[in-house]
Amino acid sequence: MSGKYATETLQANESGIARAAAILRAGGLVAVPTETVYGLAARADSEDAVGRIYEAKGRPSFNPLIVHVPTIERAERLAVFRAKARRLAQEHWPGPLTLVLPRREDAGLAASVTAGLPTLALRMPDHPVMSALLEAVDFPLAAPSANRSGFISPTSAQHVLASLDGRIDAVIDGGASQAGLESTILAVRDDGSVDQLRPGPVKVARRNSTSGFAGIEAPGQLASHYAPGKPLRLNAGDHADDEFMIGFGDIAGDCTLSGAGDLEEAASRLYACLHLGAASDKPRMAVASIPDRDIGKAINDRLRRAAKPPD
């Protein structure tokens, strides 16, 4: 893909999904709503199509992609599911859980999907639009977040267009994402142990606390990520006049994650508030302290990465 061209906005209905499926069959890129964030979908069996994802996002080639499937049976054609992995899939799919598993040699996927790794990240999303799209095509979809690499993830079609307008073929406008944070990522090892590679909406008990792999093996592991393009101060009890304040609980702000102190609401609003702060005329941002429990751990993970300057 080179140069800019018109990005279509499609409705989240039968005709919009049919149009999106046609674009994907031809090797194009479509941003699609999921229950977590909007994903930038391309057919995962085409090296050219997957290459367009990396080009449109400016994504480093060493950062692998998540592949989305409509059923566990379709997932088992792509990766090796041992007993532990199958139980996790049966308990949490469809839903915001990504499993990193050994890739099958005959998976038929583009090599760049896995960034040269022997493993594959798989998810079965729980969103009517993405689910319908997966059923409308006969190939799996690679779909990282639909934004420029390293920047704030999108939870609306407007967020997608602010970052990728003219760089992708289409976006399906399905309204705001419900969960608002990317999926939990678990790597299931050969011995049945489980490592959490990225915290998210799904909490799984009795997991290992350290990773068995030294490098990047899933999205969301880069130290600097989800960045608003401005300095971001964490755990702020107040703010300066030149700071856009993101509040929580008793601490109000220019945008408040949850006045009631509800962590689920805060997760769903996090990226929307970061987008508002990035677009404001204030040169700096601050965010109130978030309790580091339950999905608050995932919120704080994203905020720490958003606050770290890029290397």
Side-chain angles (χ1 to χ4, degrees):
M1 185 191 309
S2 62
K4 296 189 69 173
Y5 55 94
T7 294
E8 292 183 64
T9 297
L10 306 175
Q11 297 302 306
N13 55 26
E14 186 175 348
S15 62
I17 291 168
R19 171 62 179 152
I23 292 171
L24 292 167
R25 290 189 195 98
L29 302 181
V30 180
V32 187
T34 79
E35 77 277 24
T36 57
V37 300
Y38 273 63
L40 182 57
R43 56 185 306 159
D45 60 351
S46 166
E47 198 68 58
D48 287 344
V50 173
R52 292 188 180 106
I53 290 178
Y54 283 95
E55 182 180 355
K57 285 176 62 70
R59 186 183 180 92
S61 60
F62 59 78
N63 201 4
L65 305 177
I66 295 174
V67 172
H68 295 66
V69 292
T71 64
I72 294 177
E73 291 72 25
R74 293 275 287 273
E76 289 178 328
R77 301 177 194 173
L78 306 177
V80 177
F81 277 73
R82 297 187 175 91
K84 179 64 174 180
R86 189 169 289 105
R87 284 197 299 273
L88 287 168
Q90 290 169 344
E91 290 173 8
H92 298 287
W93 283 3
L97 175 66
T98 293
L99 296 176
V100 175
L101 306 170
R103 185 191 70 248
R104 290 192 179 277
E105 291 186 4
D106 60 350
L109 298 174
S112 55
V113 165
T114 58
L117 297 171
T119 54
L120 175 64
L122 283 168
R123 185 164 99 82
M124 180 180 167
D126 186 18
H127 190 283
V129 175
M130 184 57 142
S131 298
L133 185 58
L134 284 164
E135 292 289 354
V137 297
D138 59 357
F139 43 80
L141 296 177
S145 57
N147 58 288
R148 294 286 286 169
S149 184
F151 292 93
I152 309 167
S153 297
T155 54
S156 72
Q158 291 70 36
H159 294 163
V160 173
L161 292 172
S163 179
L164 295 177
D165 190 17
R167 302 182 66 86
I168 64 176
D169 295 281
V171 55
I172 302 177
D173 188 351
S177 300
Q178 183 176 6
L181 286 182
E182 298 87 350
S183 61
T184 301
I185 301 181
L186 301 178
V188 183
R189 307 303 182 188
D190 290 342
D191 62 0
S193 62
V194 178
D195 290 329
Q196 179 174 273
L197 305 183
R198 181 176 71 188
V202 172
K203 181 180 179 182
V204 179
R206 299 185 302 279
R207 65 168 179 81
N208 292 2
S209 59
T210 58
S211 174
F213 187 85
I216 299 294
E217 57 179 329
Q221 293 187 285
L222 297 176
S224 178
H225 205 35
Y226 318 107
K230 298 177 180 180
L232 174 64
R233 184 166 61 93
L234 306 182
N235 304 313
D238 55 17
H239 66 286
D241 290 341
D242 67 344
E243 287 182 316
F244 181 95
M245 181 67 189
I246 298 176
F248 178 80
D250 293 337
I251 299 176
D254 299 291
C255 182
T256 300
L257 296 174
S258 173
D262 185 301
L263 289 173
E264 295 287 342
E265 182 184 15
S268 70
R269 288 181 50 77
L270 176 63
Y271 291 140
C273 283
L274 286 173
H275 276 283
L276 286 173
S280 76
D281 59 1
K282 295 184 179 180
R284 299 188 297 149
M285 298 170 62
V287 60
S289 178
I290 306 297
D292 201 41
R293 64 174 188 273
D294 301 325
I295 201 169
K297 291 181 178 295
I299 296 172
N300 284 322
D301 170 77
R302 306 309 194 269
L303 286 172
R304 283 191 296 271
R305 297 175 194 272
K308 182 175 175 58
D311 295 333

